[in-house]
Amino acid sequence: MNHYPHHIGDFNNATRHLTFVERALYRELLDLYYDTERPLNADATKLARRVLANTDEQREALQTVLEEFFDLRETGWHNDRCDREIDAFHEKQEQQSRAGRASAAKRRGKSGQGEGGDSGTGEGGRATGARSNGKASTAQRPLNDRSTNQNQNQNQEEEKKASPSKSRDGDAAALVTDAVVKADAGTVPATPAAWSVVFADEFGVEVSPGDMNARRKFWPLAAGWVQKDLTVGQMRAAVMRAQAEATEVIVYLPAYVDRVLASISSGAATESRQEAAARARMQEAAPLAASRGPASAAPPAAEGYTFFQRAAESQSRALEVMQ
């Protein structure tokens, strides 16, 4: 056996009365017992050499431990607990061997190569994974116990990452399912999480699902954009306008853009600096422009400003729906 269970509580309770040397020798005897998977040698001299009990004191301590924790029988010094653990190990090993042979036979049957073949047995009908003389073959030892458990744990972690239902909440799940958003102008993000991806990819504003403070600021804004069926193209246009109009550093772009979107959707009367300058220029040039305009479309000279006002509004609406 390459491994055996060592129960610290049981060992301490059973050996607290022993000396340091006796406890050490007891562990040496247990290791030897499990390693050889058989009772200890009844020859005290040979056994002492195996556990490095070289002095008279150590050999005396060895005899004390043997008499207290082991039973001398015809086959050597036995320990009941060691025998139970070894038998359980062999039984588990045999079960795994049978399962492996059954699985191999099933695979051969599916591939059409199982006709007339054996079911994992060798010459004379002896199972290749069976024990020889009551002991398991070293080549058949289940070396995959640890790797199997490790693979299972890795698979569970991958399922948690891939499955939205195992995310911490619904919004985090939406971020997983909407992680890839097409950046074309006509895309309409369907969730706040999808908008968070757009802002991260397009404008460099990261909104981590695990950052509750960031989510409290961003999610209500994005929920409003979802209700309005806002497109990525409209958001780009609003960001461009926000950056052009800003007279100071934009502390939080999503909130600033949301105000710009609100002013656009409500047709706010507030003019930007560029609009105000354009309006002043148009007011000065209104009579001349009106006289040069088409006869069917141009308003009277007195209403020249109204004409340019409408032209400016038309350009603003075109910017809003820009794709």
Side-chain angles (χ1 to χ4, degrees), residues 47-86:
L47 182 59
R49 289 178 59 84
R50 292 295 302 272
V51 296
L52 304 180
N54 299 322
T55 65
D56 292 340
E57 179 186 2
Q58 292 172 349
R59 284 190 287 269
E60 183 179 352
L62 173 62
Q63 189 64 31
T64 300
V65 172
L66 287 172
E67 291 175 356
E68 182 170 353
F69 296 100
F70 297 84
D71 296 326
L72 183 58
R73 305 173 191 172
E74 294 181 358
T75 54
W77 290 97
H78 281 261
N79 180 285
D80 291 338
R81 183 161 189 169
C82 292
D83 290 338
R84 290 196 303 269
E85 294 290 351
I86 293 173

Side-chain angles (χ1 to χ4, degrees), residues 8-80:
I8 298 175
D10 293 348
F11 182 82
N12 286 338
N13 291 335
T15 61
R16 280 301 179 189
H17 62 287
L18 300 180
T19 66
F20 180 82
V21 174
E22 290 170 344
R23 280 169 59 94
L25 285 171
Y26 186 27
R27 285 302 304 271
E28 290 288 339
L29 292 173
L30 291 177
D31 289 349
L32 180 61
Y33 205 116
Y34 285 116
D35 183 49
T36 59
E37 299 181 15
R38 63 186 181 186
L40 301 175
N41 196 327
D43 189 326
T45 302
K46 295 181 179 180
L47 182 59
R49 289 178 59 84
R50 292 295 302 272
V51 296
L52 304 180
N54 299 322
T55 65
D56 292 340
E57 179 186 2
Q58 292 172 349
R59 284 190 287 269
E60 183 179 352
L62 173 62
Q63 189 64 31
T64 300
V65 172
L66 287 172
E67 291 175 356
E68 182 170 353
F69 296 100
F70 297 84
D71 296 326
L72 183 58
R73 305 173 191 172
E74 294 181 358
T75 54
W77 290 97
H78 281 261
N79 180 285
D80 291 338

